[in-house]
């Protein structure tokens, strides 16, 4: 299945085999699956077009993520409003970030462009499951993680911070991981993983859902 449609009121998904003739409207955040296209000229043209259309936040995933990042930085290094997060492997983070941004800024449009329709399908499916609450962590959980989530386990201070990488562990002994699949499953909390201790440390207050 190829996407070329609005999947929600503020998320447009566009599949393309080679990023040719993209019709890009104005928007806020762009989620890029760059797996196959290696043509620097083509990526430069798309990057310029995205910037002209007002995009300020870029979340990039795929084998060519670093190439996209280098080109985007080249054209945005003097613009402090531009933020770029990129990874070759962190596909689950892309879905969580899409859910978080679309919920946090409901009136701002977001664009997904992809050169790999299989990953596009995974992204859309993961996004829908996150929104439905069918995954371990909610959108609100993810918001707290991105802000820097401090907690205690076994009477020790701990932290989880998600940005360009996953910083997690006991304070003073934090580790940096490339993606949540590894970070959340490694047994770094006295022989337990973050997933295993989540039910014990999950915040429980009136403003938390």
């Amino acid at each position: 299945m190829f996407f070329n449609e609005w999947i929600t009121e503020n998320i447009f998904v566009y599949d393309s085999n080679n990023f040719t003739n993209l019709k890009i409207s104005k928007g806020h955040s762009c989620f890029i699956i760059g797996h196959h296209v290696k043509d620097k000229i083509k990526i430069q043209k798309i990057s310029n077009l995205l910037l002209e259309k007002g995009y300020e936040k870029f979340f990039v995933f795929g084998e060519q993520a670093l190439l996209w990042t280098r080109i985007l930085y080249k054209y945005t290094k003097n613009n402090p409003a531009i933020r770029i997060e990129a990874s070759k492997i962190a596909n689950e983070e892309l879905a969580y970030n899409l859910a978080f941004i679309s919920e946090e800024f409901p009136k701002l449009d977001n664009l997904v462009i992809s050169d790999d329709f299989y990953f596009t399908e995974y992204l859309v499916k993961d996004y829908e499951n996150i929104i439905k609450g069918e995954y371990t962590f909610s959108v609100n959980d993810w918001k707290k993680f991105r802000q820097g989530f401090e907690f205690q386990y076994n009477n020790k201070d701990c932290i989880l911070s998600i940005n360009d990488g996953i910083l997690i562990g006991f304070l003073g002994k934090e580790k940096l991981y490339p993606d949540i699949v590894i970070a959340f499953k490694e047994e770094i909390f006295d022989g337990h993983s973050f997933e295993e201790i989540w039910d014990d440390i999950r915040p429980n207050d009136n403003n938390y859902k």
Side-chain angles (χ1 to χ4, degrees), residues 21 54 86 132 148 161:
N21 298 321
K132 292 175 183 177
S161 179

Side-chain angles (χ1 to χ4, degrees), residues 55-89:
Y55 290 89
E56 294 185 345
K57 295 184 185 297
F58 297 89
F59 300 88
V60 190
F61 162 76
E63 190 64 31
Q64 306 307 321
L66 297 182
L67 175 61
W68 274 91
T69 302
R70 287 196 296 269
I71 291 173
L72 283 167
Y73 270 128
K74 178 180 178 181
Y75 292 103
T76 64
K77 60 183 179 181
N78 295 321
N79 187 343
I82 302 297
R83 296 294 304 275
I84 304 169
E85 296 181 24
S87 173
K88 296 174 67 173
I89 61 174

Side-chain angles (χ1 to χ4, degrees), residues 6-196:
W6 292 93
I7 63 168
T8 71
E9 291 184 357
N10 69 348
I11 300 175
F12 188 87
V13 180
Y14 192 103
D15 272 317
S16 172
N17 288 332
N18 54 15
F19 290 128
T20 300
N21 298 321
L22 293 179
K23 294 180 174 62
I24 297 175
S25 60
K26 292 182 179 180
H28 175 256
S29 298
C30 184
F31 297 78
I32 300 168
I33 298 176
H35 208 60
H36 304 291
V37 174
K38 303 178 183 179
D39 188 328
K40 293 182 180 179
I41 300 301
K42 189 173 292 184
I43 294 174
Q44 287 173 354
K45 288 181 179 178
I46 297 170
S47 298
N48 277 328
L49 182 57
L50 289 167
L51 293 169
E52 289 173 2
K53 294 295 184 179
Y55 290 89
E56 294 185 345
K57 295 184 185 297
F58 297 89
F59 300 88
V60 190
F61 162 76
E63 190 64 31
Q64 306 307 321
L66 297 182
L67 175 61
W68 274 91
T69 302
R70 287 196 296 269
I71 291 173
L72 283 167
Y73 270 128
K74 178 180 178 181
Y75 292 103
T76 64
K77 60 183 179 181
N78 295 321
N79 187 343
I82 302 297
R83 296 294 304 275
I84 304 169
E85 296 181 24
S87 173
K88 296 174 67 173
I89 61 174
N91 61 303
E92 286 192 23
E93 284 88 325
L94 193 70
Y96 270 108
N97 283 326
L98 179 60
F100 162 64
I101 293 293
S102 64
E103 293 278 298
E104 185 76 0
F105 307 102
K107 295 183 179 180
L108 298 178
D109 289 341
N110 305 285
L111 173 68
V112 176
I113 60 174
S114 171
D115 67 356
D116 189 298
F117 68 89
Y118 289 113
F119 274 117
T120 312
E121 286 193 326
Y122 293 144
L123 174 64
V124 172
K125 182 178 179 180
D126 287 345
Y127 161 81
E128 291 174 344
N129 288 336
I130 292 167
I131 294 297
K132 292 175 183 177
E134 296 179 356
Y135 280 8
T136 302
F137 306 104
S138 69
V139 176
N140 204 32
D141 294 334
W142 194 255
K143 178 180 179 180
K144 286 183 177 290
F145 298 164
R146 287 188 61 91
Q147 291 172 339
F149 176 54
E150 297 180 1
F151 60 97
Q152 281 200 334
Y153 183 70
N154 283 351
N155 297 315
K156 301 175 186 177
D157 293 328
C158 311
I159 190 168
L160 165 61
S161 179
I162 294 178
N163 199 310
D164 216 354
I166 318 299
L167 183 69
I168 186 172
F170 293 116
L171 282 178
K173 297 182 179 179
E174 308 94 335
K175 294 184 179 181
L176 186 64
Y177 295 91
D179 66 89
I180 60 175
V181 173
I182 299 174
F184 287 178
K185 292 184 181 299
E186 187 161 333
E187 297 174 346
I188 60 174
F189 294 104
D190 292 339
H192 297 281
S193 70
F194 184 74
E195 285 186 348
E196 290 173 332

